[in-house]
Amino acid sequence: MSKKSTGELLAQMDHYGSRHYARSSVCFAKGKGIYVKDTDGKEYIDAASGYGSVGLGHNHPRICALLRKLNAVDKDGWGVVGIVPNVHPTPQLGTMLEYACTKAFGYDKALTTNGGVEAVEAAIKLMRKWGYTKKSVERGKARIVICEGNFHGRTTTVVGFSSEPTYRENFGPYAADAFITVPYGDYGAFAKVMQEDAESGAPTIVGFLVEPIQGEGGVRIPPPGYLKACAFLCEKNNVIFCADEIQAGLGRTGYLLASWHEGVKPDLVVIGKTLGAGKHPVAMVLGNDEHMVFTPGDHGSTHGGNTTAMAIALEALAIIKDEKLCVRSAMMGASLLHQLRQELSCGGAAKIAPLVRGRGLMIGIVLAPGVDSHMVIDELLKNGVMTKDAHNVIRITPALIITETEVKRLAELIGKTFAEIALRTLPKE
Ligand SMILES: Cc1ncc(COP(=O)(O)O)c(C=O)c1O
């Protein structure tokens, strides 16, 4: 590959890349642990971690060693098989499924996909098929309850129920009655919809799809007890409780699944992101036999379940366990939250960022109305911190391997950046 300057890379992207992202002028080339380096060699703390998908840090030594093994060929040219038709089991697929079901999450079955939204789509199909075949819902009438402020990905079905107009508006038509939106965190609103359905004489609600913490929605944490109460109501009304843990799962919030904070075991759970260790896209839906209702022909994918993805997913789950990354995330997250609150509690910074919230290493700095989040992201980048904005919130999701020293440095750099922004933008008192 020819070595291009940063300017040339940007021009190349501008010319050939589809315009579906507002591109940054910083191009990244290397990564190690919680750090990345741009194409000019400047180092940054990666507090965006690939939309939360680099939970193990960049180039985790065990993942790199595994990839070397997977890519090796012997002197005769034989190596690990990559993709075979999915009717043929491979050792990697079977081993990963068994580990995920029996050791990691405790479910009967799992279905692997190439990315998060594909797994969400599979979960939607499962809920609908279960509704028709097990709950006797009239065919074509199944409805799924979803939450305002949701983010479940970008396929046409999923953007059809997004609350974000830019994600949705130009991509219809959508099935008008297929999804019912309720306010996130409002148990009363959910209970009302469920009651109306139960009293209708012919219930059509088959599932409730919910993020335990809304990531893209701005690190919104529902009130304590919300998930548990909703899960209980789902059980009572014979409705599938499906948690989208693509962002909040796999240790990000201090437990392997964020639903476990409330002792909830979702009927279906969707995971992704860190499962691919920042190297290979892979996601998964898990559930028990009664809800995993697919039969041959119902679903399929060319790459879903490929051996590289499966070997990486297995190793990622093992690393989370071996390195106790859930506990680490809980401890480092609590420390980071505390230090960020201290850094942003006084002077002008508090006026720009009046609230910091989070659980584990999923933290959001809420900006005051009118503060331009893109400007904040750019200033943080200048000071060597990569973050991601989610509406009016700066999302801080570093790798779960972050150390106490790195937490301190991250909090100080963020504090310094907000103090500088305050000095520059707030009127002198
Ligand atoms: C909660 C949630 N669900 C689904 C998705 C979609 O995942 P992917 O981008 O891998 O399709 C995301 C991505 O950010 C997410 O945060």
Side-chain angles (χ1 to χ4, degrees):
M1 205 161 37
S2 69
K3 180 136 174 43
K4 288 191 159 33
S5 70
T6 305
E8 285 168 335
L9 279 173
L10 291 171
Q12 185 185 46
M13 270 313 295
D14 204 36
H15 193 86
Y16 294 107
S18 151
R19 301 282 169 87
H20 58 286
Y21 281 107
R23 302 252 175 226
S24 163
S25 57
V26 181
C27 311
F28 289 107
K30 294 202 164 172
K32 178 184 171 188
I34 69 154
Y35 302 99
V36 282
K37 266 187 192 167
D38 69 17
T39 36
D40 297 323
K42 180 178 164 182
E43 193 173 295
Y44 304 75
I45 293 181
D46 181 0
S49 76
Y51 301 108
S53 63
V54 194
L56 310 181
H58 293 277
N59 292 313
H60 190 288
R62 277 175 64 176
I63 298 293
C64 291
L66 174 69
L67 282 168
R68 279 195 295 276
K69 227 165 90 185
L70 288 168
N71 291 330
V73 286
D74 68 17
K75 63 179 177 21
D76 298 321
W78 289 92
V80 174
V81 72
I83 296 173
V84 290
N86 279 305
V87 292
H88 301 286
T90 62
Q92 289 81 4
L93 175 60
T95 310
M96 200 289 292
L97 292 176
E98 182 178 346
Y99 184 91
C101 287
T102 62
K103 299 246 166 49
F105 301 102
Y107 286 98
D108 292 337
K109 287 199 168 26
L111 179 158
T112 61
T113 67
N114 301 295
V117 73
E118 212 185 291
V120 172
E121 286 275 352
I124 290 171
K125 285 172 69 175
L126 284 166
M127 287 189 268
R128 287 179 176 166
K129 182 172 180 191
W130 172 85
Y132 297 130
T133 58
K134 305 277 182 188
K135 191 175 168 171
S136 306
V137 170
E138 188 185 332
R139 206 157 295 272
K141 298 274 191 214
R143 297 185 301 163
I144 293 171
V145 183
I146 49 89
C147 293
E148 244 165 50
N150 71 74
F151 185 78
H152 299 288
R154 302 290 201 136
T155 54
T156 47
T157 299
V158 168
V159 297
F161 59 79
S162 171
S163 338
E164 184 63 47
T166 44
Y167 295 174
R168 193 190 61 244
E169 261 168 19
N170 287 320
F171 311 109
Y174 306 116
D177 301 326
F179 297 94
I180 310 165
T181 309
V182 293
Y184 185 62
D186 182 343
Y187 173 73
F190 179 58
K192 187 165 178 278
V193 162
M194 294 282 270
Q195 190 180 352
E196 281 166 5
D197 188 59
E199 288 172 0
S200 69
T204 52
I205 295 179
V206 296
F208 177 46
L209 174 63
V210 64
E211 296 156 85
I213 294 176
Q214 286 189 336
E216 185 70 18
V219 190
R220 290 174 66 205
I221 304 172
Y226 172 72
L227 295 175
K228 199 171 184 72
C230 291
F232 180 73
L233 198 59
C234 283
E235 194 183 341
K236 193 169 153 236
N237 287 273
N238 197 23
V239 163
I240 291 179
F241 181 92
C242 177
D244 178 348
E245 297 243 9
I246 287 170
Q247 180 134 175
L250 297 186
R252 174 59 56 199
T253 71
Y255 276 111
L256 196 58
L257 294 180
S259 304
W260 293 358
H261 281 283
E262 292 197 10
V264 169
K265 183 179 183 191
D267 297 317
L268 292 178
V269 65
V270 190
I271 54 170
K273 296 209 187 258
T274 286
L275 198 59
K279 283 294 185 188
H280 196 94
V282 49
M284 193 155 53
V285 191
L286 297 112
N288 283 339
D289 284 331
E290 62 180 300
H291 300 122
M292 297 295 279
V293 289
F294 283 162
T295 46
D298 281 344
H299 203 68
S301 156
T302 300
H303 293 90
N306 74 77
T307 53
T308 305
M310 295 305 98
I312 288 179
L314 178 67
E315 191 69 352
L317 291 172
I319 291 170
I320 292 170
K321 179 170 174 283
D322 295 345
E323 297 188 6
K324 302 183 174 53
L325 292 185
C326 296
V327 179
R328 183 175 199 90
S329 169
M331 284 166 54
M332 293 302 123
S335 176
L336 182 57
L337 188 65
H338 176 69
Q339 292 184 52
L340 282 174
R341 281 178 175 157
Q342 274 190 329
E343 289 284 345
L344 303 177
S345 67
C346 50
K351 293 197 174 125
I352 294 174
L355 181 70
V356 188
R357 63 185 173 220
R359 182 165 287 161
L361 283 166
M362 188 167 179
I363 294 176
I365 300 172
V366 182
L367 303 177
V371 176
D372 176 3
S373 61
H374 296 119
M375 175 273 290
V376 175
I377 298 277
D378 286 345
E379 293 302 314
L380 284 164
L381 269 178
K382 278 185 207 153
N383 282 335
V385 180
M386 179 176 25
T387 55
K388 160 84 179 76
D389 63 323
H391 295 99
N392 208 37
V393 173
I394 304 299
R395 215 164 60 192
I396 310 291
T397 55
L400 314 182
I401 55 163
I402 193 167
T403 64
E404 189 65 63
T405 313
E406 289 165 338
V407 160
K408 186 163 182 287
R409 185 154 166 257
L410 175 59
E412 282 169 0
L413 283 171
I414 292 173
K416 169 178 172 294
T417 308
F418 275 86
E420 286 169 2
I421 296 171
L423 207 62
R424 223 191 46 239
T425 59
L426 292 178
K428 301 263 173 312
E429 286 178 356

